[in-house]
Amino acid sequence: MRALVCPGQGSQKPGFLTPWLDIDGVREHLQRLSDAAGIDLIHYGTEADEETIKDTAIAQPLIVAAGIVTGRLALEQLAGEELILAGHSVGEITAAALAGVLSEEDAMRFIRVRANGMAEAAAASPTGMAAVLGGKEDEVRAAIAEANLVAANSNGGGQIVAAGALEDIEKFAVNPPARARVIPLKVAGAFHTAAMAPAQAPLAEFAATLSPANPQHTLLTNKDGSAVESGQVFVDTLVSQVTNPVRWDLCMETLLAKEVTGIIEVAPAGTLIGLAKRGMRGMPGTAINLPEDLQALAA
C-alpha cells in the first residue's frame, strides 16, 4: 500500500505546468478547472512569473488544479492498488477531489472561495510565516509562543512553521531558539491562525451548498492525522483548518503506522517527499513533476 500526497502553498514554480500540456486531454482538463475557478490556470501555470503566482488568490487554485490533473493521471497508473490519500494545507482540497469527496468542479469552486478569503484576510494586516529547523520541539514551541507567534504547521522531522505579525517574525528570525534556524517563507500571510478568521464564514457558507461523498480511498486529515470516513466530516474539517494548525507530523505517523511502502507526490512535487526523508526515514518517494515520472509508478 502506497500513499498519494498533495502539496500545499509555496510549492509552485513558474512554468511548471508547461510539459503537461503535451499530454492529450490535459489542456482541456485544465480549461474545465479554470472555468470552475474563474481564473486562467493555463496562463498562470505556464507564463506567469514567480511573484504573480505567489499571490494566494492565484497560488491556491493553481496548486489544486495541478494536483488534480497529475493525480488523475497517477491514479490511472495505480488502478486497483490500495492507496492512502493526504494533502498538506491547501493540498487537502486536492486530496478531497482525488478521493471522490468533492467533484473536481466543486473542489475548484471551494478553493476559489478559500483563496480569495484568505488573500483578503492576509491583506488586512502584515503577517507571514517562517520555518523553524532543528532545536528541541518543546523549546521551539515555547520560543514561538514567547515571540507572540503561533505554531501553524508541524511538519515533522524537526520542522515547525511559526506564523504571525511580520514584525514578530523578523524579531524571531534574529533571535532563534537554541540550536535552531529560522527561515522566513515566501507566503503572503499567517495561514492556519486566527488571522484567517475572516475567510472562514464565507467558506462555511459555500460548503453548506455542497453534497460531499464518502472517500473512495483512505483519506487523512491535517487536524490530527486520522482517517476520515465521512465526506461531510472531511469538508467540515476543511473549513475549520483555515484557522487551525496543520499537523502533517501526525499524518506521517499514521502513514508509518499503516506500513505504507512508498510516497507518491503529485505536482508541484518535492516538498512532502523532502519532509518524508526526515520524518519517515528510508521511505521511498516518487515526485510527479514531469509526464515521464508517471512511468515509475507502473514499475
Side-chain angles (χ1 to χ4, degrees):
M1 180 169 58
R2 288 186 283 183
L4 188 68
V5 298
C6 311
Q9 193 165 342
S11 56
Q12 71 277 10
K13 297 178 181 178
F16 76 101
L17 283 180
T18 300
W20 294 97
L21 296 181
D22 292 333
I23 297 180
D24 288 344
V26 165
R27 181 180 291 274
E28 292 76 14
H29 194 179
L30 282 169
Q31 187 58 58
R32 292 195 301 273
L33 300 180
S34 294
D35 293 342
I39 66 172
D40 187 348
L41 296 167
I42 296 174
H43 164 71
Y44 288 119
T46 60
E47 299 175 340
D49 61 23
E50 182 178 11
E51 190 63 26
T52 299
I53 62 174
K54 177 184 173 182
D55 182 345
T56 297
I58 295 169
Q60 292 191 12
L62 182 60
I63 291 165
V64 171
I68 289 174
V69 169
T70 58
R72 288 294 177 208
L73 294 169
L75 287 172
E76 291 177 6
Q77 297 288 331
L78 300 166
E81 183 173 337
E82 185 179 2
L83 297 169
I84 297 180
L85 270 61
H88 186 288
S89 186
V90 72
E92 284 201 288
I93 292 90
T94 314
L98 295 177
V101 171
L102 296 175
S103 71
E104 293 183 359
E105 291 76 12
D106 280 347
M108 296 309 301
R109 296 183 187 105
F110 186 97
I111 197 57
R112 177 175 60 187
V113 176
R114 182 186 193 269
N116 289 341
M118 293 176 75
E120 290 175 8
S125 59
T127 59
M129 307 178 82
V132 187
L133 308 179
K136 292 185 177 181
E137 182 172 350
D138 56 347
E139 294 179 359
V140 169
R141 291 187 181 277
I144 289 173
E146 289 171 6
N148 200 34
L149 301 172
V150 175
N153 296 351
S154 297
N155 288 331
Q159 183 186 121
I160 296 176
V161 176
L166 278 182
E167 181 181 1
D168 292 327
I169 291 282
E170 291 167 0
K171 292 178 181 177
F172 187 58
V174 298
N175 186 30
R179 298 178 295 281
R181 292 184 296 136
V182 175
I183 304 174
L185 300 179
K186 295 180 180 180
V187 296
F191 304 136
H192 300 289
T193 73
M196 294 295 108
Q200 206 155 28
L203 190 59
E205 183 178 352
F206 176 76
T209 69
L210 302 175
S211 299
N214 293 336
Q216 299 167 4
H217 301 280
T218 300
L219 181 62
L220 307 186
T221 171
N222 284 177
K223 178 182 177 181
D224 56 12
S226 64
V228 179
E229 297 181 356
S230 163
Q232 183 60 62
V233 169
F234 193 78
V235 170
D236 291 343
T237 66
L238 292 180
V239 174
S240 63
Q241 280 304 113
V242 168
T243 55
N244 287 343
V246 170
R247 294 305 304 263
W248 188 251
D249 56 337
L250 300 182
C251 289
M252 289 195 294
E253 285 183 14
T254 299
L255 295 178
L256 288 172
K258 290 185 175 292
E259 299 181 341
V260 297
T261 57
I263 299 286
I264 302 162
E265 185 176 0
V266 300
T271 300
L272 299 183
I273 287 178
L275 292 177
K277 287 180 179 178
R278 296 187 292 272
M280 305 172 69
R281 293 188 181 278
M283 182 64 63
T286 301
I288 307 299
N289 279 318
L290 298 170
E292 47 264 40
D293 296 329
L294 294 170
Q295 300 171 5
L297 301 184

